[in-house]
Coordinates of all heavy atoms in Angstrom, one line a residue:
K489 N 0.8 -1.2 0.0 CA 0.0 0.0 0.0 C 0.9 1.3 0.0 O 1.9 1.3 0.6 CB -0.9 0.0 1.2 CG -2.2 -0.7 1.0 CD -2.0 -2.2 1.0 CE -3.4 -3.0 0.8 NZ -3.2 -4.4 0.7
S490 N 0.3 2.3 -0.6 CA 1.0 3.6 -0.6 C 0.6 4.4 0.6 O -0.2 4.0 1.4 CB 0.5 4.4 -1.8 OG -0.9 4.7 -1.7
A491 N 1.3 5.5 0.8 CA 1.0 6.4 1.9 C -0.4 6.9 1.9 O -1.1 7.0 2.9 CB 2.0 7.6 2.0
E492 N -1.0 7.2 0.7 CA -2.4 7.6 0.6 C -3.3 6.5 1.0 O -4.4 6.7 1.6 CB -2.6 8.1 -0.8 CG -1.9 9.4 -1.1 CD -2.3 10.0 -2.5 OE1 -3.5 9.7 -2.9 OE2 -1.6 10.8 -3.1
E493 N -3.0 5.3 0.6 CA -3.8 4.1 1.1 C -3.8 4.0 2.6 O -4.8 3.7 3.2 CB -3.4 2.9 0.4 CG -3.7 2.8 -1.1 CD -3.2 1.5 -1.8 OE1 -2.0 1.5 -2.0 OE2 -4.0 0.6 -2.0
H494 N -2.6 4.1 3.2 CA -2.4 4.0 4.6 C -3.3 5.0 5.3 O -3.9 4.8 6.3 CB -1.0 4.2 5.0 CG -0.1 3.0 4.6 ND1 1.3 3.1 4.6 CD2 -0.4 1.7 4.3 CE1 1.7 1.9 4.3 NE2 0.8 1.1 4.0
D495 N -3.3 6.2 4.8 CA -4.2 7.3 5.4 C -5.6 6.9 5.4 O -6.3 7.1 6.4 CB -4.0 8.6 4.6 CG -2.6 9.3 4.9 OD1 -1.9 8.9 5.8 OD2 -2.3 10.2 4.1
L496 N -6.1 6.4 4.3 CA -7.5 6.0 4.3 C -7.8 4.8 5.2 O -8.8 4.7 5.9 CB -7.9 5.6 2.8 CG -9.4 5.3 2.6 CD1 -10.3 6.5 2.9 CD2 -9.7 4.9 1.2
I497 N -6.9 3.8 5.2 CA -7.0 2.7 6.1 C -7.0 3.1 7.6 O -7.8 2.6 8.4 CB -6.0 1.6 5.8 CG1 -6.2 1.0 4.4 CG2 -5.9 0.6 6.9 CD1 -5.1 0.2 3.9
R498 N -6.3 4.1 7.9 CA -6.3 4.7 9.3 C -7.7 5.2 9.6 O -8.2 5.1 10.7 CB -5.2 5.7 9.5 CG -3.8 5.2 9.5 CD -2.8 6.3 9.6 NE -1.4 5.9 9.4 CZ -0.7 5.3 10.4 NH1 -1.1 5.2 11.6 NH2 0.6 5.0 10.1
H499 N -8.3 5.9 8.7 CA -9.7 6.4 8.9 C -10.6 5.2 9.2 O -11.4 5.2 10.0 CB -10.2 7.1 7.6 CG -9.9 8.6 7.6 ND1 -10.4 9.5 8.5 CD2 -9.1 9.3 6.8 CE1 -10.0 10.7 8.2 NE2 -9.2 10.6 7.2
G500 N -10.4 4.1 8.4 CA -11.2 2.9 8.6 C -11.1 2.3 10.0 O -12.1 2.0 10.6
T501 N -9.8 2.2 10.5 CA -9.7 1.6 11.8 C -10.2 2.5 12.9 O -10.7 2.0 13.9 CB -8.2 1.2 12.1 OG1 -7.4 2.4 11.9 CG2 -7.7 0.1 11.2
R502 N -10.1 3.8 12.7 CA -10.7 4.8 13.6 C -12.2 4.6 13.7 O -12.8 4.6 14.8 CB -10.4 6.2 13.2 CG -11.0 7.3 14.0 CD -10.7 8.7 13.5 NE -11.2 9.0 12.2 CZ -12.4 9.3 11.9 NH1 -13.3 9.5 12.8 NH2 -12.7 9.6 10.6
I503 N -12.8 4.4 12.6 CA -14.3 4.2 12.5 C -14.6 2.8 13.1 O -15.7 2.6 13.7 CB -14.8 4.4 11.1 CG1 -14.6 5.9 10.8 CG2 -16.2 4.0 10.9 CD1 -14.8 6.3 9.3
C504 N -13.8 1.8 12.9 CA -14.0 0.5 13.6 C -14.1 0.7 15.1 O -15.0 0.1 15.8 CB -12.9 -0.5 13.3 SG -12.9 -1.2 11.6
D505 N -13.1 1.5 15.6 CA -13.1 1.7 17.1 C -14.4 2.4 17.5 O -15.0 2.0 18.5 CB -11.9 2.6 17.4 CG -10.6 1.9 17.3 OD1 -10.6 0.6 17.2 OD2 -9.6 2.6 17.3
L506 N -14.8 3.4 16.7 CA -16.1 4.1 17.1 C -17.3 3.1 17.0 O -18.2 3.2 17.9 CB -16.3 5.2 16.1 CG -17.4 6.2 16.3 CD1 -17.1 7.6 15.9 CD2 -18.7 5.7 15.5
G507 N -17.3 2.2 16.1 CA -18.4 1.3 16.0 C -18.4 0.4 17.2 O -19.5 0.1 17.7
A508 N -17.2 -0.1 17.6 CA -17.2 -0.9 18.8 C -17.7 -0.2 20.1 O -18.3 -0.8 20.9 CB -15.7 -1.4 19.0
E509 N -17.3 1.1 20.2 CA -17.9 1.9 21.3 C -19.4 1.9 21.3 O -20.0 1.8 22.3 CB -17.3 3.3 21.2 CG -15.8 3.3 21.5 CD -15.2 4.7 21.2 OE1 -15.9 5.6 20.8 OE2 -13.9 4.8 21.3
A510 N -20.0 2.1 20.1 CA -21.4 2.1 20.0 C -22.0 0.8 20.3 O -23.1 0.7 20.9 CB -21.8 2.5 18.5
C511 N -21.3 -0.3 20.0 CA -21.8 -1.6 20.4 C -21.9 -1.8 21.9 O -22.9 -2.2 22.4 CB -20.9 -2.7 19.7 SG -21.1 -4.4 20.3
V512 N -20.8 -1.4 22.5 CA -20.8 -1.5 24.0 C -21.9 -0.7 24.6 O -22.6 -1.2 25.6 CB -19.4 -1.0 24.5 CG1 -19.4 -0.9 26.0 CG2 -18.3 -2.0 24.1
E513 N -22.2 0.5 24.1 CA -23.3 1.3 24.6 C -24.6 0.6 24.4 O -25.6 0.8 25.2 CB -23.2 2.7 24.0 CG -22.0 3.5 24.4 CD -22.0 4.8 23.6 OE1 -23.0 5.1 22.9 OE2 -21.0 5.6 23.8
A514 N -24.8 -0.1 23.4 CA -26.1 -0.7 23.0 C -26.3 -2.0 23.7 O -27.5 -2.5 23.8 CB -26.2 -0.9 21.5
V515 N -25.3 -2.7 24.2 CA -25.5 -4.1 24.8 C -26.1 -4.0 26.2 O -25.7 -3.2 27.0 CB -24.1 -4.8 24.8 CG1 -24.2 -6.1 25.7 CG2 -23.7 -5.2 23.4
A516 N -27.1 -4.8 26.4 CA -27.7 -5.1 27.7 C -28.5 -6.3 27.6 O -29.0 -6.7 26.5 CB -28.6 -3.9 28.1
A517 N -28.7 -7.0 28.7 CA -29.5 -8.2 28.7 C -30.9 -7.8 28.3 O -31.5 -6.8 28.7 CB -29.5 -8.8 30.1
G518 N -31.5 -8.6 27.4 CA -32.8 -8.4 26.8 C -32.8 -7.6 25.5 O -33.9 -7.5 24.9
V519 N -31.7 -7.1 25.1 CA -31.6 -6.4 23.8 C -31.3 -7.4 22.7 O -30.4 -8.2 22.8 CB -30.5 -5.3 23.8 CG1 -30.4 -4.6 22.4 CG2 -30.8 -4.3 24.9
P520 N -32.0 -7.4 21.6 CA -31.8 -8.4 20.5 C -30.5 -8.1 19.8 O -30.1 -6.9 19.6 CB -33.0 -8.3 19.6 CG -33.6 -7.0 19.9 CD -33.3 -6.6 21.3
E521 N -29.9 -9.1 19.2 CA -28.6 -8.9 18.5 C -28.8 -7.9 17.4 O -27.9 -7.1 17.2 CB -28.2 -10.3 17.8 CG -27.7 -11.3 18.8 CD -27.4 -12.6 18.1 OE1 -27.5 -12.7 16.8 OE2 -27.0 -13.6 18.8
H522 N -29.9 -7.9 16.6 CA -30.0 -7.0 15.5 C -30.0 -5.6 15.9 O -29.6 -4.7 15.2 CB -31.2 -7.4 14.6 CG -32.6 -7.1 15.3 ND1 -33.2 -8.0 16.1 CD2 -33.4 -6.0 15.2 CE1 -34.4 -7.5 16.5 NE2 -34.5 -6.3 16.0
E523 N -30.6 -5.3 17.1 CA -30.6 -3.9 17.5 C -29.2 -3.4 17.9 O -28.8 -2.2 17.6 CB -31.5 -3.7 18.7 CG -33.0 -3.8 18.4 CD -33.5 -2.8 17.4 OE1 -32.8 -1.7 17.3 OE2 -34.5 -3.0 16.8
V524 N -28.4 -4.3 18.5 CA -27.0 -3.9 18.7 C -26.2 -3.7 17.4 O -25.5 -2.7 17.3 CB -26.3 -5.0 19.6 CG1 -24.8 -4.7 19.8 CG2 -27.0 -5.2 20.9
A525 N -26.4 -4.6 16.5 CA -25.8 -4.5 15.2 C -26.2 -3.2 14.4 O -25.3 -2.5 13.8 CB -26.0 -5.7 14.3
L526 N -27.5 -2.9 14.5 CA -27.9 -1.7 13.8 C -27.3 -0.4 14.4 O -26.9 0.5 13.7 CB -29.5 -1.6 13.9 CG -30.2 -2.5 13.0 CD1 -31.7 -2.5 13.3 CD2 -30.1 -2.1 11.5
A527 N -27.3 -0.4 15.8 CA -26.7 0.8 16.4 C -25.2 1.0 16.1 O -24.7 2.1 15.8 CB -26.9 0.7 17.9
T528 N -24.5 -0.2 16.0 CA -23.1 -0.2 15.6 C -22.9 0.3 14.2 O -22.1 1.2 13.9 CB -22.5 -1.6 15.8 OG1 -22.8 -2.0 17.1 CG2 -21.0 -1.6 15.6
T529 N -23.6 -0.2 13.3 CA -23.5 0.1 11.9 C -23.9 1.6 11.6 O -23.2 2.3 10.9 CB -24.3 -0.8 11.0 OG1 -23.9 -2.2 11.2 CG2 -24.2 -0.4 9.5
Q530 N -25.0 2.0 12.2 CA -25.4 3.4 12.0 C -24.3 4.4 12.5 O -24.1 5.4 11.9 CB -26.7 3.6 12.7 CG -27.9 3.0 12.0 CD -29.2 3.0 12.8 OE1 -29.2 3.5 14.0 NE2 -30.3 2.5 12.3
A531 N -23.7 4.1 13.6 CA -22.7 5.0 14.1 C -21.5 5.1 13.1 O -21.0 6.2 12.9 CB -22.2 4.5 15.5
M532 N -21.1 4.0 12.5 CA -20.0 4.0 11.6 C -20.4 4.7 10.3 O -19.6 5.5 9.8 CB -19.6 2.5 11.3 CG -18.9 1.8 12.4 SD -18.2 0.3 12.0 CE -19.6 -0.7 11.6
V533 N -21.6 4.5 9.8 CA -22.0 5.1 8.5 C -22.1 6.6 8.7 O -21.6 7.4 7.9 CB -23.4 4.6 8.1 CG1 -24.0 5.4 7.0 CG2 -23.3 3.1 7.6
R534 N -22.6 7.1 9.8 CA -22.7 8.5 10.1 C -21.3 9.1 10.2 O -21.1 10.3 9.7 CB -23.5 8.8 11.4 CG -25.0 8.5 11.2 CD -25.8 8.8 12.4 NE -27.2 8.6 12.2 CZ -28.0 7.7 12.9 NH1 -27.4 7.0 13.8 NH2 -29.2 7.6 12.6
E535 N -20.4 8.4 10.8 CA -19.0 9.0 10.9 C -18.3 9.0 9.6 O -17.6 10.0 9.3 CB -18.2 8.1 11.9 CG -16.8 8.6 12.1 CD -16.7 10.0 12.8 OE1 -17.7 10.4 13.4 OE2 -15.7 10.7 12.7

């Protein structure tokens, strides 16, 4: 990969981290898997 590719991939891992944070916030006993996944994905798409 080039330096420009590395820059874009760094954006990607930053957004992965943000998605994981949204997942943690959404998890609780009684919450369905799909709601956790939706909250995680929506946070990444918006970012």
